[in-house]
Amino acid sequence: METKFEDYWEEIRNEIISDLPSYKIPKEGIDYIEKCINYNIPGGKMNRGKSVLVSLQTILNRDLTEDETKKANILGWAIEWLQALFLVSDDLMDASITRRGHECWYRKEEVGLIAVNDTLILESCIYKLLKKYFRNEKYYIDLVELFHEVSYKTELGQLIDLITAPQNKVNLEKFSMDKYIWIVRYKTAFYSFYLPVALAMTMAGVSNEKSLKVAEDVLIPLGEYFQVQDDYLDCYGDPKVIGKIGTDIQDNKCSWLVNQVLKICTPEQKQILAENYGQDDPVKIQRVKDLYKELKIEELYKQYEEESYKNISDMISKVDPNVINPDVFTKFMNRIYKRTK
């Protein structure tokens, strides 16, 4: 029977939990960490995690051994672990309500600000997993450095996002498309798109500088497109489908939508935006959405989507198969094009 990505979850979770008694941690600590892991790691779409195996199969262009399959899926779960700790901290900083259809972790009565420490524990777990499963591989340190570097870039992106658009302190002059693109690249694109492929390339032994640069040149624009989709879905998506209630408007986010408004609005419309954006008031949130409708932002997004699809497809068509199999990128593109969640 074919092993699925989800089938490895129990093993790696138990690997972390079973190691805790060696630190002589009290039982309530073990129970808390287990609950934190079970609540936050599984449950997402898991596209990032599953992409490692798909990418490795595509790069090698052959059936994988049982060991290769397992290792690729372990790396995939390490990305899911990274994603989870980013979401826990992001929800806390954004004062979000729901995530993946459930109450945000920090909002649980027994958690609160303990969630800050929880993210640090979750991050340490990634390196425990890498040590457990990869310490004897010649590419072990490359994996560790990839996770460190991509985590750092993501944290830099989160920082600029937060100081550009602090809650309850609206300053539209801080917003720009250039800043938005930088934030998106660092906060989302590197860990969501580049990391899964770079890990697979590292396993496959094709992680030379030229190949990684080709991968980055295609995958970062793909990540930008993905984040613009996210911004669109935050406003126009169905919360039941995407698993969360959109909060970008009240959170004063430097989103693609608000940057489009700033590019084309009249001084009067900009004033309306300034008076209503970044405030957790249903009437003001609706006024911003009305402004989006007046300026046909939804139509602009649909134009952007088609242009992005064409541009990225053109980039993929020019990738040298001798450097890396372009199908790696095509599979990513096909998975996210016109997504609804």
Side-chain angles (χ1 to χ4, degrees):
M1 193 173 88
E2 186 181 354
T3 308
K4 296 179 181 177
F5 180 71
E6 294 85 344
D7 295 338
Y8 294 91
W9 164 242
E10 210 143 312
E11 178 183 334
I12 66 166
R13 181 198 59 193
N14 292 344
E15 180 62 40
I16 296 296
I17 301 303
S18 63
D19 183 54
L20 287 170
S22 69
Y23 294 91
K24 296 184 171 51
I25 181 173
K27 185 176 183 303
E28 59 263 37
I30 295 174
D31 292 344
Y32 180 92
I33 292 170
E34 184 169 12
K35 184 177 179 181
C36 174
I37 288 171
N38 288 335
Y39 195 90
N40 292 300
I41 312 295
K45 297 184 288 291
M46 296 185 285
N47 286 335
R48 294 169 181 83
K50 292 177 180 178
S51 296
V52 181
L53 179 67
V54 174
S55 298
L56 184 62
Q57 287 172 325
T58 307
I59 292 165
L60 294 177
N61 195 26
R62 61 167 171 79
D63 291 337
L64 302 182
T65 66
E66 187 177 333
D67 184 60
E68 288 170 335
T69 299
K70 179 174 181 174
K71 282 186 163 64
N73 281 310
I74 296 295
L75 288 176
W77 274 110
I79 298 177
E80 290 299 317
W81 216 286
L82 185 69
Q83 155 83 341
L85 72 91
F86 286 150
L87 296 184
V88 171
S89 60
D90 196 53
D91 288 342
L92 177 58
M93 289 182 276
D94 287 346
S96 298
I97 307 299
T98 58
R99 171 69 68 180
R100 295 173 172 173
H102 300 286
E103 183 180 38
C104 292
W105 174 247
Y106 82 93
R107 287 177 58 85
K108 300 190 78 62
E109 187 178 351
E110 68 275 24
V111 181
L113 290 177
I114 299 173
V116 176
N117 193 60
D118 295 340
T119 63
L120 301 176
I121 291 174
L122 291 176
E123 183 174 33
S124 294
C125 291
I126 293 170
Y127 298 101
K128 291 191 73 64
L129 291 172
L130 293 180
K131 184 177 180 180
K132 163 70 179 178
Y133 291 100
F134 296 95
R135 66 183 305 179
N136 294 322
E137 299 292 341
K138 61 183 179 182
Y139 54 80
Y140 169 56
I141 192 62
D142 296 324
L143 298 179
V144 172
E145 288 184 349
L146 260 174
F147 271 97
H148 276 310
E149 182 66 15
V150 170
S151 297
Y152 185 54
K153 285 177 175 173
T154 307
E155 290 150 9
L156 292 176
Q158 174 74 342
L159 171 67
I160 302 305
D161 188 22
L162 290 166
I163 65 176
T164 298
Q167 290 188 46
N168 305 318
K169 209 170 187 180
V170 181
N171 181 358
L172 298 177
E173 303 308 316
K174 284 189 169 187
F175 291 0
S176 71
M177 277 307 297
D178 285 345
K179 190 176 284 186
Y180 171 78
I181 290 169
W182 189 91
I183 291 169
V184 164
R185 286 182 173 187
Y186 278 76
K187 184 181 175 182
T188 301
F190 276 104
Y191 91 90
S192 298
F193 288 81
Y194 175 72
L195 181 58
V197 176
L199 291 172
M201 291 170 70
T202 300
M203 272 194 71
V206 292
S207 56
N208 58 77
E209 194 173 322
K210 182 179 179 182
S211 298
L212 287 171
K213 182 67 169 65
V214 169
E216 182 178 326
D217 288 346
V218 177
L219 292 164
I220 298 308
L222 253 174
E224 290 173 24
Y225 166 50
F226 177 85
Q227 184 58 52
V228 173
Q229 285 180 314
D230 245 23
D231 292 357
Y232 171 79
L233 292 171
D234 184 271
C235 183
Y236 295 102
D238 181 348
K240 292 178 182 175
V241 175
I242 61 178
K244 63 178 180 177
I245 300 165
T247 60
D248 282 0
I249 292 173
Q250 56 265 48
D251 288 346
N252 187 33
K253 285 295 182 183
C254 179
S255 77
W256 185 87
L257 305 179
V258 74
N259 275 295
Q260 294 304 308
V261 170
L262 291 169
K263 278 169 60 178
I264 61 176
C265 67
T266 65
E268 292 76 21
Q269 289 169 325
K270 186 174 181 180
Q271 184 60 34
I272 291 170
L273 187 65
E275 290 171 356
N276 293 278
Y277 200 72
Q279 298 181 59
D280 196 3
D281 177 336
V283 174
K284 294 188 174 185
I285 293 168
Q286 188 57 51
R287 186 65 193 93
V288 174
K289 290 184 177 181
D290 291 343
L291 188 58
Y292 288 174
K293 189 173 183 180
E294 288 170 35
L295 293 170
K296 299 183 177 178
I297 300 301
E298 191 169 7
E299 286 83 347
L300 284 176
Y301 166 76
K302 288 173 181 173
Q303 289 174 23
Y304 164 86
E305 182 167 50
E306 294 309 316
E307 288 169 7
S308 294
Y309 181 77
K310 181 181 181 304
N311 292 339
I312 295 168
S313 296
D314 286 346
M315 291 173 68
I316 294 171
S317 71
K318 294 171 184 171
V319 171
D320 182 353
N322 294 316
V323 175
I324 185 171
N325 187 342
D327 289 348
V328 172
F329 311 121
T330 303
K331 288 176 180 178
F332 263 95
M333 186 76 223
N334 291 342
R335 192 163 66 237
I336 67 171
Y337 180 52
K338 290 196 172 180
R339 69 188 176 98
T340 58
K341 62 180 181 178

